[in-house]
Amino acid sequence: MANREEKRNLETIPVGSLGIIPLEGCRPLGEKVDKFLVKWRAERESEHKESLAFSGYQRNSYLLSAKVPRFGSGEAKGMILESVRGTDLYILVDVCNYSMTYSLCGHENHMSPDDHYQDLKRIIAAVGGKARRITVIMPFLYESRQHKRTSRESLDCALALQELVRMGVDNIITFDAHDPRVQNAIPLHGFETVQPAYQFIKGLLRNVKELQIDSDHMMVISPDEGGMGRAIYIANVLGLDMGMFYKRRDYTRVVNGRNPIVAHEFLGTSVEGKDMIIIDDMISSGESVLEVAAALKQRKASKIFVFATFGLFTSGLDKFDKAYENGIIDKVLTTNLIYQTPELLQREWYINCDLSKYIAYIIDTLNHDSSISDLLNPNERIQNIVARYKKGEL
């Protein structure tokens, strides 16, 4: 894949000198992305390399120095410490990194998604319109769970997207948006929601041996009606059957800001003796996915693998430890697109799917103003890795 990418990208002139600013909460991911870009561009040969259009094409690092210092009151300002004039700028932000702290009147305060989003705006404001193009890579889309109005309430995600566009952002790249239709808020600007389906399948096949990938031995499950699209895609590319649960809620009560789930009802064929792939966009507290896994075990399912783009684990890992000990789940796969605790990375049931290389491909391709269509549709790569797995090459 690397060779194909590089041959294609060489045909076009970069939009501008590449610059990447990972906000502090996203720095580890940004540094991994940078390493891939430095390596590829050092290896790449081009007859135009000496031309002015390729000025600054090969560098030791594409990371630009920026910081967001805070005053004692908790207020802050964005600072960019080197020139961004004329650059094709990519800003990476992880709004879910609650491990970041700052001092607020002598108290240690953990950063909320609101704080991270505000810092993003500060950095964009510090650019001052001098960059040639600004692309925001926000893997977990800020306020994406507040995507539709059910009563008299705010539409925060749409407001945030419009605000970014008004500040001069040209493109927004996110992963597995809770509802991609929020892009209707900014119809004339770039908005891509990327699915990490290939990385999940690669992670599973590299870590679990002797799986039989066919409709007689494996099935894909959507834990709710909202996630049907993901499950249908995975089922289709792997040639599997699909089932789904729907949540029966008690609309007479509100607990922790939502109507509590009374039961998970199953729609689909028999799961007996089959391995299950449960796929969702995020694990928040984990209650839903564990209830679904338990319901599948009651129906005599075999191994259960959970795919979730974002592992928030807001209620801790104890529930998952217990479910693993009781044989309810076998593996949980989430990505490194948001902050992962050291405790999570050490868990026996956990598989980390690294998306830094994928983000590097997207940045590299966009910097050359080339199409990312084939990156957004990983069908060919999935078929290749499944074929290699069946031959025993992984």
Side-chain angles (χ1 to χ4, degrees), residues 212-310:
Q212 289 179 278
I213 306 168
D214 58 55
S215 55
D216 294 328
H217 299 92
M218 193 176 263
M219 198 166 167
V220 181
I221 304 291
S222 174
D224 56 38
E225 62 276 19
M228 287 282 285
R230 292 177 205 92
I232 289 168
Y233 181 80
I234 296 275
N236 284 349
V237 293
L238 294 178
L240 308 177
D241 282 340
M242 201 208 88
M244 71 161 276
F245 284 81
Y246 68 91
K247 296 169 182 171
R248 206 145 46 81
R249 292 183 182 270
D250 180 358
Y251 284 103
T252 62
R253 296 187 300 138
V254 175
V255 179
N256 294 333
R258 59 181 184 173
N259 303 107
I261 297 161
V262 178
H264 289 87
E265 307 287 358
F266 181 64
L267 301 173
T269 55
S270 170
V271 302
E272 190 171 343
K274 294 181 183 176
D275 294 334
M276 299 285 115
I277 293 174
I278 303 171
I279 183 158
D280 208 354
D281 61 335
M282 70 178 78
I283 293 171
S284 185
S285 66
E287 279 175 24
S288 273
V289 79
L290 291 177
E291 282 172 20
V292 164
L296 290 169
K297 278 293 183 184
Q298 285 173 358
R299 290 170 171 80
K300 299 181 182 174
S302 184
K303 291 180 180 172
I304 293 184
F305 307 108
V306 179
F307 293 1
T309 309
F310 306 108

Side-chain angles (χ1 to χ4, degrees), residues 2-22:
N3 292 339
R4 187 179 78 224
E5 285 300 314
E6 285 159 26
K7 280 177 188 172
R8 180 182 66 181
N9 284 346
L10 282 172
E11 302 306 314
T12 54
I13 292 171
V15 173
S17 180
L18 177 60
I20 301 170
I21 298 179

Side-chain angles (χ1 to χ4, degrees), residues 88-139:
D88 184 19
L89 193 60
Y90 294 81
I91 305 174
L92 278 68
V93 58
D94 172 11
V95 298
C96 293
N97 192 341
Y98 61 88
S99 73
M100 305 295 298
T101 59
Y102 62 90
S103 176
L104 175 61
C105 298
H107 299 281
E108 187 180 53
N109 211 25
H110 284 265
M111 289 182 73
S112 70
D114 294 342
D115 289 319
H116 287 292
Y117 175 65
Q118 204 66 25
D119 281 0
L120 169 67
K121 291 197 296 180
R122 289 177 176 120
I123 290 296
I124 295 167
V127 170
K130 299 299 182 283
R132 181 158 299 172
R133 186 173 72 176
I134 298 176
T135 301
V136 169
I137 299 178
M138 185 189 287

Side-chain angles (χ1 to χ4, degrees), residues 17-30:
S17 180
L18 177 60
I20 301 170
I21 298 179
L23 269 68
E24 203 55 45
C26 207
R27 184 159 289 281
L29 182 65

